[in-house]
Amino acid sequence: MHLTQPLHKALLERPKATALICEERRWSFAAFVGRVSRLAAVLRDLGVHAGERVAMLGHNSDHYVESLYATWWAGGVINPINARWNVHEIAFSLDDSQTRILLVDPAFLPVAEQLRGLSCSLAVVLCLGEGRHDTTLATDDVEPLIAAAAPIEDARRGGEDLAAIMYTGGTTGRSKGVMLSHGNLYLGQLSACLAAPRPDDAVGLNPAPLFHIGGLGLTLQLMLRLCPQILVAGFDEARMLSLIERERASETFLVPTMLKRLIEHPGFAEHDVSSLALVLYGAAPIDEPLLAAALGRLPHTQFAQLYGMTELSPVVAALPPWCHAASQPRGRLRSAGRPVPIAEVRIVDASDTVLQPRSVGEIIARGPMVMTGYWNLPEQSAEALRDGWLHTGDAGYLDEDGFLYVVDRLKDMIVSGGENVYSAEVENAIARMEQVEMCAVIGVPDETWGECVHAVIVSRHGTELDAEQVIAHCRGLIARYKCPRSVSFVDQLPLSPTGKILKQPLRAMLSNRGSD
């Protein structure tokens, strides 16, 4: 189980087939593997040995994918850096993991230069691909080095060998480096493919950032299946529609905010998207009105939800296409699906006692996809991994048929007057209002109730909405104690790079207002 194995299969089975498409560049598997083996030689000459960390900073591209596989080919460990972090956060991840080598695309060269003065571990910066314009920056262009290098043999590290350190967002404290082995990632992607089956002649379109486990996971799955994949530097709905039509893309992964922007784009009906056979969605909760709208706008497309997290490589449960059929119970669409073939899932209380079906508790998981731990954080690793079970921090329940329902992050659960309120349930109710573009529900301190439910809403352009309307609407759908007691309206919500709503900045914003 080494992550470079699909490359060897491709050389034997499909050397001339297309592997990567990016802008106007197209690489066959033979050409791609040739570049990987030569870039690996460059890295080896720079001192990359077994287990050495190599960082990538850039947008999705064919060159980014080459960097991932070249690092593994050389025997190294990837450290994909969140491209939306500030320079201090990036420097922390480099120093924490003792990463010496940074591969960067031209757009991030100014950031790389700042990192030279901030990071103690950074020693080498290589500029990826073509298009570099600033020749004053002290970095080496990698293309001449690749051209001059002789290919090397694959190190073939695999199994329990460390393959990646994926740093979490750090929204609740310092960022943690999730350690994933070759076996974790290989079996995790194989299991995801089994849980959401797809044809071998698929054409993948990947708009999710490769520094995120969702984007990385899709790239690994497509490579595992020897399918061509289209890399886009960022999500742009017009560009996505054009690529689906031009390249006849048949599958993609979208977070709910991406899906919403795609189907609501003014030019949606003008594009032929009939080739799109499957949309994988996940990384954040999806509201029922959005899913219903997507099913209506894409009647020939199948949908499958994937639930998981970085620590689970990343998929632990899947809601396959057949569960989205009109003949299936509509309530099942609120579930995250059943555990994937290699995963065991339990629901436990605070003392780790297993709960009965439909009892809400913490979701824990066990299997070969579970991370090996957090880099340099033994206490946090021991807390998260107890008796072989990863404690996810998500609250949920299993029904009698084994379907998993995720109700909230434990830290996002609101306790009001002794009652548990799950923000996702309230958000689903609010999302049914036609005037609502996006919403987030959080708890705010209250002297009487401990916490009160507060809704933060982005109104749809051209509509009018006030707090009284929102509260009255919710009272018609959910229990009174779950309904918002206050509402604020904003122009936009803070989002992660993958489109997940970030609630901590909202709490901070409301806290600051309260102290004014």
Side-chain angles (χ1 to χ4, degrees), residues 452-476:
C452 279
V453 179
H454 181 86
V456 185
I457 294 174
V458 178
S459 298
R460 193 178 294 275
H461 181 69
T463 65
E464 294 184 2
L465 189 62
D466 58 36
E468 289 73 18
Q469 290 175 283
V470 174
I471 295 169
H473 167 82
C474 289
R475 286 177 177 172

Side-chain angles (χ1 to χ4, degrees), residues 169-406:
T171 56
T172 58
R174 61 155 279 182
S175 186
K176 299 189 292 290
V178 177
M179 295 189 293
L180 301 175
S181 69
H182 282 259
N184 289 155
L185 287 168
Y186 190 99
L187 289 174
Q189 308 329 304
L190 184 62
S191 184
C193 291
L194 290 173
R198 285 154 270 172
D200 290 337
D201 60 351
V203 177
L205 175 56
N206 194 356
L210 288 167
F211 62 75
H212 184 270
I213 192 66
L216 177 64
L218 181 58
T219 279
L220 296 181
Q221 290 170 34
L222 290 164
M223 199 66 71
L224 191 68
R225 293 155 51 211
L226 305 186
C227 295
Q229 57 182 295
I230 308 157
L231 284 306
V232 289
F235 180 78
D236 176 87
E237 49 269 49
R239 176 69 171 156
M240 286 282 292
L241 291 169
S242 176
L243 283 170
I244 292 169
E245 182 174 37
R246 189 184 80 185
E247 302 292 348
R248 308 304 295 162
S250 60
E251 70 179 70
T252 189
F253 172 76
L254 301 172
V255 301
T257 52
M258 292 178 178
L259 180 58
K260 181 180 180 67
R261 286 170 55 186
L262 188 74
I263 65 172
E264 293 183 354
H265 188 267
F268 178 85
E270 300 170 7
H271 289 84
D272 178 7
V273 295
S274 60
S275 65
L276 192 60
L278 177 67
V279 169
L280 301 162
Y281 65 95
I286 190 168
D287 62 69
E288 295 171 43
L290 171 57
L291 183 54
L295 290 167
R297 296 300 303 272
L298 294 163
H300 304 296
T301 302
Q302 293 187 320
F303 286 77
Q305 180 179 183
L306 302 177
Y307 162 70
M309 56 190 55
T310 306
E311 289 88 338
L312 293 170
S313 306
V315 181
V316 72
L319 189 70
W322 65 267
C323 290
H324 294 73
S327 59
Q328 294 298 310
R330 291 292 89 185
R332 188 160 286 169
L333 291 177
R334 293 194 295 270
S335 83
R338 284 176 167 149
V340 295
I342 63 172
E344 299 174 67
V345 172
R346 288 179 178 173
I347 308 296
V348 298
D349 63 16
S351 62
D352 283 353
T353 300
V354 179
L355 300 177
Q356 294 299 310
R358 298 196 178 275
S359 297
V360 174
E362 183 177 12
I363 301 168
I364 64 173
R366 180 171 66 181
M369 73 293 167
V370 172
M371 69 169 183
T372 62
Y374 295 115
W375 179 267
N376 283 338
L377 294 173
E379 293 182 3
Q380 289 89 331
S381 298
E383 176 63 23
L385 297 167
R386 303 200 293 272
D387 297 324
W389 292 86
L390 176 79
H391 288 62
T392 67
D394 281 347
Y397 65 89
L398 288 164
D399 69 12
E400 293 80 2
D401 296 319
F403 283 83
L404 176 67
Y405 292 76
V406 183

